[in-house]
Amino acid sequence: MEQTLIVLKPDAVLRGLTGELLGRFERAGLKLVAAKMIQVDQELAKKHYPADREEWIKLLGHKTLDNYKELKKDAKKEMGTDDPMKLGQMVRGWLLDYISSGPVFAAVLEGPHAVELVRKITGHTLPFKAEPGTIRGDFSFDSSHLANTAKRAIKNLIHASGNIEEAQYEIPLWFSEEEICKYERANEKAMK
Ligand code: ADP
Ligand code: MG
C-alpha cells in the first residue's frame, strides 16, 4: 500500500477541471485520504521544489535541452545558456511562480502501487508527448519551447510525486497527520 501526493495546478483549477481530474483517480480505485484547496505561498513553493535537489534541477535542464534539440531550436541562442544546471534553475524559478499563481487543489491518494499508477494516469511531463487517455494528453498541449519563449513553466495541469521517496518527502509538506483519513472504500471488499 502506498500514498502519493497530487496537486492540481492553477491552470487546472482556473479551467474548472478539478472534479474531472480527481474523478479519474477515484474511478481507477485510488482512495482519496486527504484533500484541500490552498493558495500556495513562496515558502511552501520553495520547499516543494527545493533548490538543493541538484539532480532534479539538472534533469529539468536536460529535459529542456532534449526538447529544444528535438524541435530543432537553439537553447543557447533563445535561453542564453545551454548549461543544464543553469537552465534547470531558470525553470525552477518559473515553477515557483506557476504553482503560486492561483489556488491549487492538493490531495493524497492511497492504494497498491499508488505512486506509479498516479504517474501513469497523469502522463508525460511534456503535454505534447503525453498519450491520449492521460490527464496531460487529454487536456494540454504545451512544450518547453512554447513555455520558455514566454519565460514561464510548462502548463501541464498537475503535479504528481515522481517516486516513493518524493511522495514521503512531499506529503508532510502539504498535510498534517491529522488531515489524513483512514477508512475502507466499498470497492476494497470486492478486490479481496
Ligand atoms: P513532472 O511534473 O512530470 O514530475 P518534473 O518534475 O521534471 O516533471 O518538472 C516539474 C515541472 O516543471 C513540470 O511538471 C512542468 O510544469 C515544469 N517543467 C519541466 N520542464 C520544464 C521546462 N523545460 N520548461 C518549463 N517548465 C518545465
Ligand atoms: Mg516531478
Side-chain angles (χ1 to χ4, degrees):
M1 209 48 83
E2 292 171 9
Q3 289 186 339
T4 191
L5 178 83
I6 58 162
V7 180
L8 303 181
K9 294 173 176 175
D11 49 328
V13 173
L14 288 178
R15 289 173 59 190
L17 292 171
T18 309
E20 160 77 37
L21 304 190
L22 185 63
R24 290 178 168 224
F25 297 109
E26 279 196 300
R27 105 188 154 186
L30 287 151
K31 195 196 295 187
L32 184 62
V33 292
K36 66 178 156 201
M37 188 122 200
I38 74 165
Q39 171 69 53
V40 175
D41 58 18
Q42 282 295 306
E43 195 190 332
L44 176 57
K46 284 179 181 159
K47 282 187 191 154
H48 181 74
Y49 295 120
D52 58 9
R53 256 175 74 194
E54 287 193 10
E55 276 313 302
W56 170 74
I57 292 177
K58 212 174 189 174
L59 198 65
L60 267 183
H62 278 297
K63 281 192 196 172
T64 308
L65 287 172
D66 290 347
N67 190 199
Y68 268 66
K69 206 184 268 172
E70 212 172 323
L71 298 174
K72 300 200 176 13
K73 304 282 179 191
D74 186 341
K76 189 160 189 180
K77 207 163 100 196
E78 297 191 24
M79 298 277 285
T81 177
D82 56 6
D83 177 65
M85 202 64 201
K86 283 191 186 140
L87 279 171
Q89 273 158 351
M90 221 183 273
V91 172
R92 178 180 172 263
W94 294 328
L95 263 177
L96 301 180
D97 293 340
Y98 174 30
I99 197 90
S100 58
S101 65
V104 301
F105 180 88
V108 178
L109 297 167
E110 187 182 281
H113 312 290
V115 174
E116 204 179 324
L117 183 55
V118 165
R119 287 294 293 198
K120 196 172 76 176
I121 295 168
T122 294
H124 197 284
T125 304
L126 303 175
F128 83 106
K129 288 210 163 174
E131 298 289 337
T134 65
I135 287 173
R136 288 166 170 171
D138 283 351
F139 295 102
S140 53
F141 52 71
D142 217 354
S143 74
S144 301
H145 184 250
L146 267 178
N148 299 167
T149 305
K151 304 272 174 257
R152 61 165 175 80
I154 291 169
K155 293 198 176 168
N156 56 6
L157 298 160
I158 176 170
H159 165 82
S161 305
N163 53 51
I164 293 177
E165 296 72 47
E166 215 176 279
Q168 284 167 348
Y169 167 75
E170 290 173 352
I171 292 169
L173 287 182
W174 292 78
F175 294 95
S176 66
E177 256 178 65
E178 304 79 66
E179 286 176 307
I180 301 178
C181 300
K182 285 190 177 60
Y183 66 100
E184 185 163 342
R185 239 178 78 158
N187 64 314
E188 283 180 67
K189 269 206 182 84
M191 295 293 287
K192 273 178 188 160

